[in-house]
C-alpha cells in the first residue's frame, strides 16, 4: 500500500540530503567570496602610502589616490590667506620640494623648519591638496604642563636640600663660647 519507492523512482528534481548539502556549501562559498571582495576593496580604498618629496618627484605616486608626504616645512614658505583657514606651504627633504595647500586649523607644533606630514591627494599641477596635516616632534618633546610640573618639582627639591644642608651645617659646627 504505502511502500517506499525504490531509489530510481524518486523525482529528478527532488531535494535529497546530498543535494541540499551541495547547494548549502556552494551558497556559503559565494557569500564568503563576496565578503572577501568587499573587505579587500574597503581596505584598498583606505590604504595611504607615505612618501618623501624625492619619492614623489620620482613618480612613486602614480596611480595612488591618497598619500602622505613627510618632510620639513620650508623656511619662509608658510602663506596664510586672509579671512580664511587656507594655508599654503612647502614640504622639503632638501633634495626636492612639494607645494601643499591645506584648508583647516594647523597643529600647535606646526612651524617653519620643523617636521610635518600632510595627507591628501595630488592635483593636476602636482600640488598636494591636504585633508590632514600632522606636526612631527622629536623624542624629547614634553607637554608644557609636564615640563612646568617637573620644573616646579626641581625647584622645591633644591629648596628642600638647601634647607637640609643649612640645618646640618648648623648642627655640626661647634659652638664657641666667649
Amino acid at each position: 500500500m504505502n511502500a517506499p519507492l525504490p531509489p530510481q523512482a524518486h523525482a529528478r528534481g527532488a531535494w535529497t540530503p546530498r543535494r541540499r548539502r551541495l547547494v548549502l556549501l556552494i551558497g556559503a562559498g559565494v557569500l564568503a567570496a563576496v565578503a572577501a571582495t568587499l573587505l579587500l576593496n574597503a581596505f584598498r580604498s583606505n590604504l595611504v602610502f607615505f612618501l618623501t618629496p624625492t619619492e614623489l618627484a620620482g613618480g612613486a605616486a602614480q596611480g595612488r589616490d591618497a598619500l602622505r608626504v613627510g618632510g620639513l616645512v620650508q623656511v619662509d614658505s608658510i602663506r596664510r590667506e586672509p579671512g580664511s583657514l587656507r594655508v599654503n606651504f612647502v614640504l622639503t627633504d632638501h633634495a626636492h620640494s612639494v607645494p601643499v595647500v591645506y584648508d583647516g586649523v594647523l597643529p600647535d607644533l606646526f612651524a617653519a623648519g620643523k617636521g610635518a606630514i600632510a595627507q591628501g591627494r595630488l592635483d593636476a599641477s602636482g600640488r598636494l591638496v591636504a585633508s590632514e596635516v600632522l606636526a612631527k616632534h622629536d623624542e624629547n618633546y614634553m607637554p608644557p604642563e609636564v615640563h612646568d610640573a617637573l620644573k616646579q618639582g626641581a625647584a622645591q627639591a633644591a629648596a628642600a636640600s638647601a634647607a637640609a644642608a643649612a640645618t646640618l651645617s648648623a648642627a655640626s659646627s661647634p659652638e664657641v663660647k666667649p
Side-chain angles (χ1 to χ4, degrees):
M1 294 196 217
N2 281 345
L5 295 173
Q8 304 92 324
H10 279 281
R12 202 142 185 67
W15 286 94
T16 62
R18 185 176 184 182
R19 183 175 281 181
R20 275 191 221 128
R21 277 192 303 257
L22 180 63
V23 168
L24 183 65
L25 285 174
I26 290 173
V30 168
L31 284 176
V34 167
T37 302
L38 291 174
L39 184 68
L40 290 175
N41 252 353
F43 179 70
R44 199 176 113 211
S45 67
N46 289 329
L47 194 61
V48 179
F49 294 96
F50 179 85
L51 301 170
T52 64
T54 299
E55 293 170 334
L56 196 61
Q62 297 298 329
R64 296 190 177 148
D65 290 333
L67 51 101
R68 285 183 177 178
V69 179
L72 295 176
V73 178
Q74 192 170 356
V75 178
D76 296 330
S77 72
I78 301 173
R79 305 278 182 257
R80 298 177 190 274
E81 292 184 15
S84 76
L85 293 176
R86 183 166 290 216
V87 180
N88 294 292
F89 59 94
V90 177
L91 285 177
T92 183
D93 60 2
H94 300 298
H96 292 89
S97 299
V98 176
V100 179
V101 62
Y102 176 64
D103 199 6
V105 178
L106 290 169
D108 291 338
L109 294 176
F110 183 86
K114 300 292 182 183
I117 297 172
Q119 179 176 325
R121 302 181 189 289
L122 287 177
D123 66 5
S125 66
R127 179 175 63 171
L128 183 70
V129 179
S131 58
E132 183 178 13
V133 174
L134 307 169
K136 292 165 60 176
H137 58 77
D138 66 2
E139 63 278 356
N140 296 325
Y141 171 75
M142 190 178 306
E145 298 84 8
V146 174
H147 182 270
D148 293 344
L150 288 176
K151 195 173 178 182
Q152 188 177 24
Q156 288 175 349
S161 68
T167 304
L168 267 177
S169 67
S172 62
S173 64
E175 258 184 37
V176 179
K177 291 186 181 180

